Structures are given as structure tokens and as C-alpha cells.
Amino acid sequence: MLRRMTKKVTLSFPDDTIEEARRFAERDGMTLSAWMDQAAREKALREVFAAHAAAVQRAGFDLEAAALADEREVAMVDAAIFRAA
């Protein structure tokens, strides 16, 4: 995915952080800027998803139990359909 860079900013990082980022960027075939952009976006998404999960938990929804119940229901339907065939 190509994105047009719109802002140039100056950031400061410890030397070891930059060296690690450079290694990861090279490994992934990306520029350092592109890799840092991706890393920042991924961090932002993790924050959003973590906040959503915390809100769901506070609301008292048990998503794991619901997912397991769905799996059991699918298995029962499959058994009923494929045993009858």
C-alpha cells in the first residue's frame, strides 16, 4: 500500500531503538520512515482494541462463552445435517 507522506517531523529516539528499528525495517524491505509509520499505526490500533475489550468486559459481556456456545450450535447443526445425508 502506497501512502503519500504529508508531514515531515523531527523525532528523537535512543540509539538502540533506532538501530533495532532499522534492522526490522531492512528485514521487512521497508524504509525506516515507513516502518516507524506502520509501528505507530499498529500501536494505535492495539490501544483502540484494548479499550474496546475493556469496555466490553465492564459491560459484563462474556464473549468467550458466547463464542463457545456458537461453536457448539454449529457442531450440532452439522451433525444433524450430515448424519441425515
Side-chain angles (χ1 to χ4, degrees):
M1 171 186 343
L2 294 176
R3 292 194 189 129
R4 202 164 108 191
M5 300 303 249
T6 57
K7 299 282 182 193
K8 185 168 185 140
V9 298
T10 301
L11 302 170
S12 298
F13 296 96
D15 290 340
D16 58 332
T17 300
I18 290 298
E19 289 310 311
E20 283 185 39
R22 283 185 200 281
R23 280 194 300 274
F24 287 127
E26 185 176 319
R27 177 201 66 190
D28 294 345
M30 302 170 78
T31 65
L32 178 60
S33 292
W35 192 89
M36 295 293 269
D37 178 62
Q38 179 178 315
R41 288 175 183 277
E42 288 174 1
K43 172 67 173 167
L45 284 174
R46 282 193 303 273
E47 293 287 332
V48 168
F49 287 128
H52 178 263
V56 167
Q57 187 176 20
R58 283 192 309 273
F61 297 122
D62 188 349
L63 297 180
E64 185 175 358
L68 291 172
D70 287 347
E71 285 182 16
R72 285 191 297 272
E73 186 174 332
V74 167
M76 289 185 332
V77 169
D78 283 350
I81 291 172
F82 294 114
R83 264 194 254 145

